[in-house]
Amino acid sequence: ATPNFPVVFASSLTAQWTHNGNPTGTEYRVQSATEGGGFAEVVSTTGTSAVLTGLPVNTTSYVRVRASNADGILTAFGAAFSTVTLAAVPGAAASTFTAVAPSSLTVSWALGLNPAGTEFRAQGSTSAAFNGGGDKASGWLAAQTTTFIGLSPDTTYYWRVAARNWNGVVSAPLDMGAQATLAYEPALSTAPFHSVGVTSATVQWEANGNPAATRYEVQASTAQSFAGTVFESGLVAFLSTSVAGLSVDTTYYWRVRA
């Protein structure tokens, strides 16, 4: 009786065979083994299938079957067939996102129940449905971390990672959540002071590659170190803003951040 495998999970599988001329009620002895291990009997049944549980994840399992007659005389084993259990969903890392920059970041995950050497693929998308423009994928790798480059600044990306077993069957993904890239530092305008009044001033700057929705904050201080009283604009989604309440005939230092 040569088995096949109609159902395979991460830690279990169903082995199936035929009677091959034996009458209904014939007893079958099922043995299994994993890569590098010896065969051991795991179940005895009068059916033509058996569920094997407690198997290691993403590991080659071998199954062979023999029949027993009413006097307990055993046949030879049928040929041993093999399959690979599925990979498990990757585990979450202690720190999922590191080295976050305007156009790059590093994502990490854990093996979970998978053995060392299991391959993973991480994906990033501007859409939670992973159908956004500029979606990113790492390719398959045996590491549990990878760095994505060429990302858009000040943009929220959604991240997930999946594993595959040695037969190339892909697991369900681990949802790693959302992480935005940083904004670039604003650039100095050729005319930073658009207008200056007695107690107010309007300043402007350049986006320096940031998207239109990026928000900025302007600060003004009479101290170059920005110690003491600091006037703030609040966050604005423009490339210019006015700061009021300044003192008459006073020098102020200015800075802007995104």
Side-chain angles (χ1 to χ4, degrees), residues 41-118:
E41 188 168 310
V42 291
V43 69
S44 174
T45 179
T46 56
T48 55
S49 67
V51 177
L52 282 60
T53 61
L55 302 175
V57 173
N58 192 15
T59 301
T60 301
S61 291
Y62 300 86
V63 178
R64 64 185 185 182
V65 182
R66 61 181 172 178
S68 173
N69 72 0
D71 292 328
I73 299 173
L74 297 168
T75 67
F77 282 105
F81 269 51
S82 67
T83 190
V84 180
T85 50
L86 301 184
V89 175
S95 297
T96 303
F97 305 107
T98 56
V100 180
S103 62
S104 64
L105 59 78
T106 297
V107 295
S108 301
W109 56 92
L111 283 169
L113 298 176
N114 295 297
T118 297

Side-chain angles (χ1 to χ4, degrees), residues 31-247:
Q31 291 189 342
S32 71
T34 55
E35 194 84 38
F39 279 95
E41 188 168 310
V42 291
V43 69
S44 174
T45 179
T46 56
T48 55
S49 67
V51 177
L52 282 60
T53 61
L55 302 175
V57 173
N58 192 15
T59 301
T60 301
S61 291
Y62 300 86
V63 178
R64 64 185 185 182
V65 182
R66 61 181 172 178
S68 173
N69 72 0
D71 292 328
I73 299 173
L74 297 168
T75 67
F77 282 105
F81 269 51
S82 67
T83 190
V84 180
T85 50
L86 301 184
V89 175
S95 297
T96 303
F97 305 107
T98 56
V100 180
S103 62
S104 64
L105 59 78
T106 297
V107 295
S108 301
W109 56 92
L111 283 169
L113 298 176
N114 295 297
T118 297
E119 292 185 331
F120 302 90
R121 182 179 63 177
Q123 294 175 290
S125 176
T126 54
S127 165
F130 285 82
N131 58 2
D135 286 7
K136 302 289 184 177
S138 67
W140 291 101
L141 65 162
Q144 286 93 62
T145 186
T146 190
T147 298
F148 286 86
I149 61 174
L151 305 179
S152 298
D154 191 20
T155 300
T156 297
Y157 286 86
Y158 299 87
W159 300 92
R160 67 184 181 185
V161 61
R164 69 176 178 182
N165 74 354
W166 305 123
N167 281 344
V169 181
V170 180
S171 74
L174 170 70
D175 180 2
M176 295 190 285
Q179 174 63 50
T181 51
L182 299 184
Y184 285 117
E185 291 184 5
L188 182 67
S189 171
T190 55
F193 299 102
H194 180 66
S195 65
V196 179
V198 177
T199 59
S200 65
T202 299
V203 293
Q204 58 189 11
W205 55 92
E206 302 292 340
N208 195 30
N210 290 314
T214 297
R215 297 188 296 170
Y216 304 88
E217 182 183 53
V218 171
Q219 293 182 333
S221 175
T222 55
Q224 192 171 5
S225 64
F226 284 80
T229 302
V230 176
F231 294 87
E232 295 180 337
S233 67
L235 291 172
V236 297
F238 310 103
L239 297 177
S240 68
T241 191
S242 296
V243 176
L246 306 178
S247 299

